[in-house]
Amino acid sequence: MTHALVLAGGGVTGVAWETGVLLGLRDAGHDIIANLDLVVGTSAGSTVGAQILSGTDLADLYAGQIAEKHNEISPQLDLDALAIIFGEMALGGTTTDEQRIRIGELALGATTVDEPTRRAVIEKRLPSHNWPTTPLILTAIDALTGEFVTWSKDSGVSLVDAVTSSCAVPSVWPCVTINGRRYYDGGLRNSANAYLAKGHTDVIVIAPMTGGPSPIVTAELDELKASGSTIRMIVADAEAIEAMGPNSLDPRFRRVAAEHGRRQGRIATF
C-alpha cells in the first residue's frame, strides 16, 4: 500500500487550518506524515507540504500559526479583477488553457508588491529551503500560455521559487519569474489537483473548501476511486468557515483557523 497526501489551496488561513488538522490527527493517534510516499501541494498546500516535510515538528509549525507575531503581509484586493478571475472558475476550476490565459493577462497586468518582497515572505515561511527527500509535487500555471505545470525536486527549480509560484494568487500577488517565464497559483486549475496522486492506494485530501468540494475536484476524486484509490477527505466544517471569516488572505485569522483545524483533526473519522 502506498500513501499520498493532497493539500489544497486556501490562503493564509488555509495554511493555518491544514497545519491544525494534521496536528489534530496526530493528537488522535494518526501520525500520517510518518508513512507518506507522496505529497501534492497547491497554493496554501504547497507551503504546508514543504513545511511538514522539512523535519520540523508539527507542534512547532502549529505554534507558529497561533503566534501573534508573523511575517505575512496583507494585500490590497482588486475586487473587480478577482470577480472576473473567479468567474472563470464557475465549476471550481478551469478546464482550458484559454481560460488560464485570460486569468494570466489579469495577473500580469495587476498592481502588486514586487517579486522580491513577496518571495521574502515565502522564504520566512519555510523552515528549510531544500527539497525534501519524500516526493513533493507543487503546482503552478504559466501566465502566458495557460499551461498547468508541476514542480518537484528534479525540476531544477528552487523550493522557495516553486512555493512562491504556487501561492501567487493572480491580481493579489505578483507572478513569479522562473527561467524567464512567469507563473501564477496552480489553484486556478482547481484547488486540489488530486489527480496527481494517481497510482497511490491510500489518498488523504485535506482541503479548506468553504463551499465544499467543487464539481471539478469531485470529478477528479471519482476518477481516483475508479482507478483503485481509497479517498479520505477532510474539509472545513461550518464552524470553522464562520470563524475564519470571508478573507482567506487575512493573517489576523491564522490562530482561529489553526485551532479549528486541530479540533477537526482530533474528531476526524480515520
Side-chain angles (χ1 to χ4, degrees):
M1 178 176 287
T2 56
H3 306 275
L5 173 63
V6 175
L7 298 165
V12 292
T13 58
V15 172
W17 180 84
E18 290 178 8
T19 304
V21 169
L22 290 166
L23 183 58
L25 286 170
R26 193 175 76 176
D27 292 341
H30 308 293
D31 188 6
I32 64 173
I33 296 173
N35 297 313
L36 290 174
D37 298 291
L38 172 70
V39 174
V40 176
T42 291
S43 199
S46 71
T47 292
V48 178
Q51 288 176 335
I52 64 173
L53 297 181
S54 69
T56 305
D57 190 78
L58 268 176
D60 294 328
L61 294 173
Y62 181 84
Q65 293 301 321
I66 64 174
E68 288 190 17
K69 184 178 179 181
H70 61 81
N71 298 301
E72 302 295 330
I73 52 179
S74 296
Q76 295 296 317
L77 302 182
D78 184 336
L79 297 181
D80 291 336
L82 286 170
I84 295 170
I85 287 167
F86 287 99
E88 294 282 356
M89 301 178 64
L91 297 177
T94 57
T95 57
T96 67
D97 288 347
E98 287 73 22
Q99 288 176 293
R100 295 189 280 269
I101 288 170
R102 290 193 290 269
I103 293 171
E105 290 172 349
L106 287 169
L108 291 168
T111 300
T112 66
V113 299
D114 58 32
E115 285 191 59
T117 297
R118 175 59 176 164
R119 191 180 194 276
V121 172
I122 303 302
E123 286 179 338
K124 292 173 182 177
R125 277 187 191 177
L126 303 185
S128 171
H129 295 171
N130 298 316
W131 283 93
T133 54
T134 299
L136 173 65
I137 297 176
L138 307 180
T139 67
I141 294 169
D142 187 307
L144 285 177
T145 67
E147 178 189 5
F148 177 73
V149 301
T150 59
W151 309 124
S152 68
K153 185 177 183 179
D154 299 325
S155 297
V157 173
S158 77
L159 179 62
V160 173
D161 284 338
V163 173
T164 307
S165 68
S166 192
C167 292
V169 181
S171 85
V172 175
W173 303 120
C175 294
V176 175
T177 304
I178 298 175
N179 297 327
R181 310 286 307 174
R182 306 289 302 285
Y183 296 92
Y184 66 83
D185 190 334
L188 277 293
R189 180 184 180 276
N190 70 63
S191 62
N193 297 303
Y195 84 97
L196 293 168
K198 186 176 181 179
H200 293 272
T201 48
D202 177 49
V203 179
I204 298 170
V205 181
I206 298 179
M209 298 174 182
T210 56
S214 70
I216 288 178
V217 172
T218 298
E220 288 195 353
L221 295 177
D222 288 343
E223 289 176 7
L224 282 176
K225 293 175 186 175
S227 70
S229 298
T230 297
I231 307 295
R232 294 182 282 171
M233 188 171 189
I234 301 175
V235 300
D237 62 17
E239 188 177 347
I241 291 168
E242 181 178 2
M244 289 191 287
N247 182 4
S248 65
L249 301 175
D250 190 335
R252 295 175 299 175
F253 290 86
R254 291 160 48 257
R255 183 186 184 101
V256 69
E259 291 172 343
H260 277 281
R262 191 173 190 181
R263 170 186 60 78
Q264 284 196 249
R266 284 172 167 170
I267 63 175
T269 302
F270 257 60

